[in-house]
Amino acid sequence: MSIAEKLTENIYRIKVPFDNIYTSVFIIKKDDFLILADTENKKNDVTDYIVPVIKEMGGNLKYVILSHNHGDHAGGYKHIKEIYPEVKVILFDDNYAVNKGFTDY
């Protein structure tokens, strides 16, 4: 059984524990690929919550959207990139991209 909650026809939410609350990341299904919105905080957030849903949905992760530079939103990106090295990142802040050395945004 999936840990993803279907919100619309193509958008799913994954709730991930964070301290005494939870945070959410979102997966968007687009034709034959997936877009992940935010990456959570730690490696185990990625491996225990996000990757199983990506695999369940076909595994073709093409893009990651990083909404902003807080650990609970962008902290897991390095681990996503290790597992899905071809993924492209979408950022909303060019200065952040340059400062962090992103070349594929």
Side-chain angles (χ1 to χ4, degrees):
M1 181 175 187
S2 178
I3 57 175
E5 174 188 4
K6 187 173 185 174
L7 301 177
T8 71
E9 185 62 30
N10 296 330
I11 300 175
Y12 298 79
R13 175 174 56 190
I14 305 169
K15 292 181 179 181
V16 181
F18 184 76
D19 292 332
N20 295 327
I21 58 171
Y22 70 87
T23 58
S24 295
V25 299
F26 298 88
I27 292 186
I28 303 160
K29 287 184 80 170
K30 178 69 177 145
D31 302 323
D32 63 342
F33 64 89
L34 303 172
I35 302 165
L36 175 65
D38 289 333
T39 62
E40 272 307 321
N41 194 30
K42 300 176 191 138
K43 185 174 186 173
N44 69 308
D45 295 334
V46 170
T47 58
D48 295 351
Y49 293 92
I50 298 171
V51 170
V53 174
I54 291 170
K55 287 181 179 178
E56 184 178 291
M57 295 180 152
N60 189 14
L61 181 64
K62 191 169 184 178
Y63 298 102
V64 171
I65 299 169
L66 297 180
S67 63
H68 62 285
N69 185 25
H70 285 170
D72 60 328
H73 293 268
Y77 177 72
K78 145 178 132 169
H79 306 296
I80 289 287
K81 191 71 172 176
E82 289 170 356
I83 298 167
Y84 301 97
E86 299 300 316
V87 73
K88 301 293 183 199
V89 65
I90 299 170
L91 300 167
F92 295 102
D93 183 344
D94 285 336
N95 290 325
Y96 175 72
V98 171
N99 290 336
K100 290 294 186 177
F102 286 106
T103 58
D104 60 348
Y105 75 100

